[in-house]
Amino acid sequence: MLAVYLIRDAFGGVMRYYTSIYHVDALWYLPDALAVLCVGQFIMHCIVRNKSILASLVLLQIMLSLALGYMMLGTANALFSSFKMMLPVFVGFCFCDSNLGSYKKLLWVVAATFYLSLVGVFLTKFFVMPWVGFKYESFGAVREAGRLWWAFSDQQRLMGFAADNTMAAFFILISFVMTSIRKSTFWCILFGSIAIHAIRLTTSKTTMIVLGLYLMLLLIVRMLPERARFPTVRAIALWSFVAILVPFFLILFASGVAAVPHTVLFSILDRINNSWQLPFVYLSQLMPVGIFTGCGAGCFNYPQKLFSPLSPYWVPVDNFYIGTYLMFGLPFAAFMVMVIRSTFAVTDVYKLSLIFVVNLFTITVLNYGPATGLLIIALSFSGVFSRRLSRVTRGDTPGVVQQRLVHVGVSGSRIPEFGSQLPRPAQ
């Protein structure tokens, strides 16, 4: 399912254009239809087999939030859109006991996506693709594929094969991270530099900064002794959760500073003054209790923008954690405490690398669309439902073993250029 979503969304501009002109629009929703099966898989694997109490609570919370969102947004289209929006979460959560390194075919698809995404961005620099500016209908709402212009010039933001420039950059970032882990240092430097240049052409500053930081830390980690590499990667992943607090510090120190158009700081100041604060102002007017309970799945997200009478109150919430808190309230905050706690027990270097990347990327991006963005976040956090952690939570694991979940020192499979001192996958 991850591969199906990845192929559809990474080439979203192409897919939307050709499914529309050939009148097979239903094919676009095929991954979502298949993802419904993953809800059942999540129930069977995480709730029934792993006996995860948290998984049961998360499923219940999502169902309640869908109902609350329907009452808030007021239309069946908004409810259906919200339900479809949440399906990738279950796909990602199903990886709770999986080691991504064991999915060879999936990693091949990811690598192919990386190379093709680079080619797409460079092609759109020299050729005008037919899907740029193409308008299509989704549940009665008209949407447009990536006709965006950079604030500093008349140059169009390049979108490659994706549906917009931010997602083109996102897929280059994510596919590079997942591919780089098993590649040589020379490959990482060469293609990392090419990827940074391609992302610069999309004008996605956040993605370019995150990729630059990831590449720098990857090189530092590989210079360490083998036994220190994995603990360092896990420490970096854990410290990346501090990024959750960044918007609050920026609001504290820069709120009210005027955002001057066509300047370097305009984007971040606009987020500080509007994107991160106005939704709470509107929420206090529409549903005061929502500050604690959330206003339901889909509120202050694209279901509200496209399918609700409350669309005049919609504000682009350019931060994943703020946007998700608005929908789910304090239960989401409690869930994130459990996610951070579970990261101490994660033994998959792919998931740890993705945690670092998504935590930094989502500081200025909501990342609920396209679906693969949310799927990658759910996959990164899926260890919170793992069999080992569920046993610890229920008290089924002896104290000595509990300690080993945090301080792993068992040799496992070797990852080239990373080191042999990796834990075995969870049993």
Side-chain angles (χ1 to χ4, degrees):
M1 275 307 306
L2 172 55
V4 174
Y5 267 118
L6 181 66
I7 293 171
R8 185 195 71 173
D9 293 339
F11 307 96
V14 182
M15 297 290 187
R16 276 293 193 185
Y17 179 73
Y18 286 106
T19 56
S20 293
I21 65 172
Y22 289 114
H23 306 291
V24 288
D25 304 77
L27 291 178
W28 175 264
Y29 302 103
L30 180 61
D32 301 304
L34 296 175
V36 175
L37 301 176
C38 291
V39 179
Q41 175 67 16
F42 172 78
I43 294 172
M44 289 301 301
H45 185 80
C46 297
I47 297 178
V48 177
R49 295 177 189 169
N50 290 359
K51 299 179 181 178
S52 172
I53 298 172
L54 181 61
S56 302
L57 293 174
V58 166
L59 178 62
L60 177 62
Q61 178 62 34
I62 290 175
M63 295 299 105
L64 290 175
S65 293
L66 285 169
L68 184 60
Y70 175 66
M71 291 188 289
M72 172 80 170
L73 302 181
T75 67
N77 275 352
L79 173 63
F80 187 78
S81 180
S82 299
F83 174 72
K84 185 176 75 71
M85 180 184 73
M86 297 307 301
L87 287 174
V89 167
F90 297 100
V91 179
F93 286 162
C94 286
F95 285 88
C96 61
D97 288 312
S98 301
N99 188 317
L100 291 179
S102 63
Y103 293 89
K104 304 300 181 184
K105 293 181 180 179
L106 172 61
L107 294 177
W108 184 88
V109 172
V110 172
T113 300
F114 171 68
Y115 295 122
L116 289 173
S117 295
L118 289 179
V119 170
V121 170
F122 292 129
L123 277 178
T124 51
K125 179 176 175 59
F126 301 103
F127 303 97
V128 178
M129 298 301 175
W131 52 85
V132 176
F134 177 73
K135 295 182 179 180
Y136 56 91
E137 187 173 313
S138 177
F139 301 113
V142 176
R143 307 176 75 173
E144 183 173 347
R147 200 178 193 88
L148 300 171
W149 302 86
W150 195 18
F152 296 104
S153 71
D154 293 330
Q155 177 185 0
Q156 187 168 353
R157 292 173 163 179
L158 302 183
M159 54 183 277
F161 297 127
D164 66 66
N165 69 303
T166 302
M167 286 300 102
F170 173 76
F171 286 113
I172 292 174
L173 169 66
I174 292 299
S175 57
F176 174 80
V177 170
M178 296 181 67
T179 304
S180 66
I181 292 171
R182 288 185 177 270
K183 294 294 186 179
S184 67
T185 302
F186 174 76
W187 184 96
C188 293
I189 295 174
L190 175 62
F191 282 95
S193 302
I194 296 173
I196 290 174
H197 177 61
I199 291 173
R200 188 183 68 83
L201 295 177
T202 69
T203 72
S204 179
K205 297 184 287 294
T206 296
T207 317
M208 186 167 61
I209 293 171
V210 173
L211 179 54
L213 286 174
Y214 171 80
L215 185 58
M216 179 184 69
L217 290 173
L218 181 146
L219 297 177
I220 291 174
V221 166
R222 291 190 176 186
M223 289 188 291
L224 297 174
E226 282 193 6
R227 298 187 66 86
R229 293 177 187 175
F230 180 79
T232 302
V233 170
R234 184 154 56 190
I236 291 171
L238 285 165
W239 277 105
S240 71
F241 284 106
V242 175
I244 297 175
L245 303 176
V246 169
F248 304 101
F249 283 111
L250 291 176
I251 290 172
L252 180 64
F253 292 107
S255 182
V257 177
V260 181
H262 308 294
T263 60
V264 175
L265 296 179
F266 174 78
S267 179
I268 190 65
L269 288 174
D270 181 61
R271 286 175 169 86
I272 293 171
N273 293 321
N274 299 304
S275 176
W276 297 340
Q277 296 191 70
L278 277 182
F280 291 97
V281 175
Y282 293 150
L283 182 60
S284 65
Q285 298 171 3
L286 298 170
M287 183 191 292
V289 72
I291 298 294
F292 305 102
T293 65
C295 52
C299 74
F300 296 103
N301 211 312
Y302 62 83
Q304 177 177 337
K305 177 186 179 183
L306 298 175
F307 308 111
S308 173
L310 296 179
S311 58
Y313 291 94
W314 175 82
V315 177
V317 187
D318 294 323
N319 179 281
F320 168 76
Y321 291 103
I322 294 176
T324 308
Y325 182 89
L326 284 164
M327 290 191 288
F328 297 99
L330 287 176
F332 173 66
F335 172 74
M336 285 310 304
V337 171
M338 297 300 295
V339 167
I340 296 171
R341 175 178 176 270
S342 71
T343 304
F344 285 96
V346 173
T347 59
D348 185 353
V349 69
Y350 287 88
K351 291 180 183 177
L352 292 172
S353 300
L354 289 174
I355 285 173
F356 167 78
V357 168
V358 299
N359 276 337
L360 270 64
F361 178 77
T362 56
I363 290 176
T364 60
V365 182
L366 180 59
N367 214 40
Y368 270 80
T372 307
L374 182 59
L375 193 161
I376 292 295
I377 294 175
L379 184 154
S380 305
F381 298 165
S382 61
V384 75
F385 306 119
S386 67
R387 184 175 296 112
R388 290 193 304 171
L389 196 68
S390 298
R391 288 173 179 171
V392 172
T393 303
R394 295 195 311 269
D396 296 344
T397 308
V400 174
V401 179
Q402 290 185 36
Q403 189 175 9
R404 287 187 61 199
L405 294 181
V406 179
H407 303 288
V408 183
V410 182
S411 296
S413 59
R414 180 180 178 84
I415 291 183
E417 300 297 324
F418 185 84
S420 60
Q421 195 64 23
L422 286 176
R424 292 191 182 96
Q427 301 297 323

